[in-house]
Amino acid sequence: MLRYWTAGESHGKTLIALIDGFPAGVQLETDSVNVELRRRQGGYGRGGRQRIETDHVNILSGIWHDTTLGSPIALEVPNKDYKLERLDDLPRPRPGHGDLTGAVKFLGSIRGILERASARETAVRVAAGAVAKQLLREFGITAFGYVVELGDRKIPPKSGTLDQLRAERDKSELYTLDVSQDEELKQYIDATGKEGDTLGGVVEVRVDGVPFGLGTHAQWDRKLDGRLAQAVMAVQAIKGVEIGLGFEAARRPGSQVHDPIHYDADAALGPTLGYTRPTNNAGGIEAGMTNGQPIVIRAAKKPISTLRKPLDSINLDTKKPESASYERSDVCALSAASVIVENVVAFEIAAAMVDKFGGDSLAEMKARWDLFHEMARQR
Ligand code: EPS
């Protein structure tokens, strides 16, 4: 079973991820993890913290000569802005954050909640996902995330090869698939920031090269769509998750939702095993199992909860009405969310791969992958 936990506070010494159940024999490149970490720090609309940090990973255990051992992998992303002991508590809970509920639930301070609830923690989730991607790469599986809506603006994904789309996204300061909209979107973010307000949006992740049969219909907590939804919903500020058509499927008759099944012997060596589908409204998952089509998953991110023009709140000590506290924050962290969701999705796909093909070593996984494909093509 491949899984991970994280530890660390936003202004504590360091962020930690502990990955357990990662197969032996995978070459790990630190640089590929660092590229993802720097992408997470980018995107237009970020605040002051990203000018302080230059995120990088230290791999503390689980490798020898840059190759995984099958033992737990501890990852660290240190915080340059380490100042927790010098920070005061916040008196007035900020609506939308965990400030009020956390302070009451844990009978403690707001600071003690916000430091852990902060989206800073996603740095180390991205690091864990970037390690998982290096296992997926061995099987030709890629996860690719981009922004499709920003506030009330839509930036529909374009068609093209994965390389073309990646090149377009990497040109865009917003991580969309249409760089020509950047200037207008930047002005929208600037205008919103000037008002003391913030913006959210929708990100989409596409996973290509996924084999048949990850996840299972047989038990609810091993259905892959459920696992993906949990991982994505658990990203800070995510309020909705859709797979394939998602909510739109509820508005159409069945004939315009379900993907017809065809067979094309020429495609039998690819992920579809030849069972081609003219549409992919299911987003690559039927009955909790992958069907050889790309997985398509979207996440709705609410606007950042810290507002420079604060909402009504109370003073938690006096209970008297006061405006919410303000701490340095971002106007829009949607581009970062596309990187985070891409990486948490990658981790879940890697976990499902380990479930299906065994997790002791890469060599054994590859042998079982080959055997399964050979048997499945004869089914
Ligand atoms: C973040 C770091 C944080 C925030 C942001 C995300 O750093 P600081 O609090 O020092 O400015 O900028 O967190 C939030 C917006 C949030 O709501 O938690 C990061 O590295 O992503």
Side-chain angles (χ1 to χ4, degrees):
M1 184 188 201
L2 173 61
R3 58 197 167 157
Y4 74 107
W5 296 271
T6 73
E9 280 74 37
S10 181
H11 304 96
K13 212 178 241 177
T14 197
L15 299 163
I16 295 284
L18 182 64
I19 304 176
D20 188 46
F22 198 89
V26 180
Q27 278 232 296
L28 280 196
E29 288 166 8
T30 307
D31 283 355
S32 317
V33 179
N34 289 336
V35 166
E36 299 292 316
L37 290 175
R38 296 314 305 275
R39 285 184 57 230
R40 192 203 72 92
Q41 289 197 271
Y44 196 79
R46 304 306 303 275
R49 180 70 181 269
Q50 305 314 325
R51 289 192 284 277
I52 299 172
E53 304 292 345
T54 317
D55 286 342
H56 67 276
V57 72
N58 297 322
I59 304 179
L60 302 177
S61 74
I63 55 169
W64 188 47
H65 296 313
D66 297 330
T67 304
T68 58
L69 295 168
S71 51
I73 301 172
L75 304 176
E76 175 193 47
V77 178
N79 285 322
K80 271 197 193 152
D81 202 16
Y82 164 40
K83 58 181 182 191
L84 187 52
E85 296 307 325
R86 283 178 281 129
L87 289 171
D88 294 330
D89 197 10
L90 262 60
R92 304 174 306 268
R94 299 159 303 167
H97 280 299
D99 297 1
L100 174 64
T101 42
V104 172
K105 174 177 162 65
F106 287 86
L107 308 177
S109 63
I110 291 177
R111 172 67 60 196
I113 302 304
L114 84 88
E115 283 291 326
R116 178 67 185 152
S118 165
R120 174 79 192 140
E121 181 259 354
T122 59
V124 82
R125 274 200 252 182
V126 166
V131 165
K133 275 183 180 169
Q134 300 188 44
L135 172 62
L136 296 181
R137 191 172 58 188
E138 296 285 344
F139 297 91
I141 301 170
T142 54
F144 174 57
Y146 40 88
V147 166
V148 290
E149 291 183 37
L150 195 155
D152 61 8
R153 313 293 161 88
K154 289 198 181 346
I155 315 102
K158 284 184 182 166
S159 52
T161 66
L162 211 49
D163 283 346
Q164 286 165 340
L165 298 179
R166 199 181 292 279
E168 184 80 6
R169 180 200 67 186
D170 292 344
K171 269 190 275 168
S172 163
E173 283 184 71
L174 281 315
Y175 302 2
T176 73
L177 297 185
D178 185 0
V179 67
S180 74
Q181 290 200 40
D182 270 20
E183 279 318 308
E184 204 186 316
L185 294 174
K186 281 161 66 177
Q187 281 168 23
Y188 180 34
I189 292 173
D190 288 344
T192 307
K194 270 202 196 100
E195 295 290 313
D197 219 328
T198 57
L199 285 171
V202 178
V203 301
E204 184 168 284
V205 174
R206 199 178 115 176
V207 190
D208 283 86
V210 191
F212 247 82
L214 301 187
T216 179
H217 68 299
Q219 196 55 265
W220 68 269
D221 64 344
R222 289 189 293 137
K223 287 179 181 249
L224 188 63
D225 40 8
R227 291 228 170 148
L228 287 169
Q230 196 211 342
V232 173
M233 199 66 152
V235 172
Q236 283 82 341
I238 299 301
K239 297 301 269 186
V241 179
E242 291 185 322
I243 295 178
L245 270 190
F247 274 60
E248 174 58 22
R251 301 179 193 113
R252 296 188 187 181
S255 59
Q256 279 156 57
V257 170
H258 305 298
D259 307 309
I261 301 171
H262 299 161
Y263 187 75
D264 174 3
D266 290 343
L269 292 178
T272 66
L273 303 175
Y275 301 104
T276 56
R277 320 293 285 263
T279 51
N280 183 21
N281 292 334
I285 300 179
E286 289 170 308
M289 296 174 280
T290 53
N291 63 7
Q293 297 293 316
I295 293 176
V296 181
I297 184 162
R298 275 180 302 283
K301 181 184 184 297
K302 69 182 180 182
I304 299 265
S305 306
T306 307
L307 301 183
R308 211 163 36 74
K309 205 160 84 188
L311 295 172
D312 289 354
S313 185
I314 44 99
N315 184 305
L316 205 49
D317 298 324
T318 65
K319 319 291 186 217
K320 294 263 161 51
E322 283 180 35
S323 289
S325 297
Y326 177 73
E327 284 236 319
R328 174 181 66 195
S329 189
D330 308 352
V331 176
C332 180
L334 184 62
S335 310
S338 73
V339 182
I340 299 158
V341 174
E342 175 184 302
N343 279 284
V344 302
V345 164
F347 196 95
E348 291 312 307
I349 302 299
M353 285 283 291
V354 165
D355 284 349
K356 172 99 182 99
F357 299 111
D360 288 335
S361 71
L362 177 63
E364 187 187 352
M365 273 183 90
K366 283 191 167 169
R368 287 185 48 185
W369 162 285
D370 290 342
L371 178 66
F372 170 70
H373 281 89
E374 201 183 303
M375 294 173 86
R377 270 185 221 108
Q378 284 163 26
R379 164 67 184 80

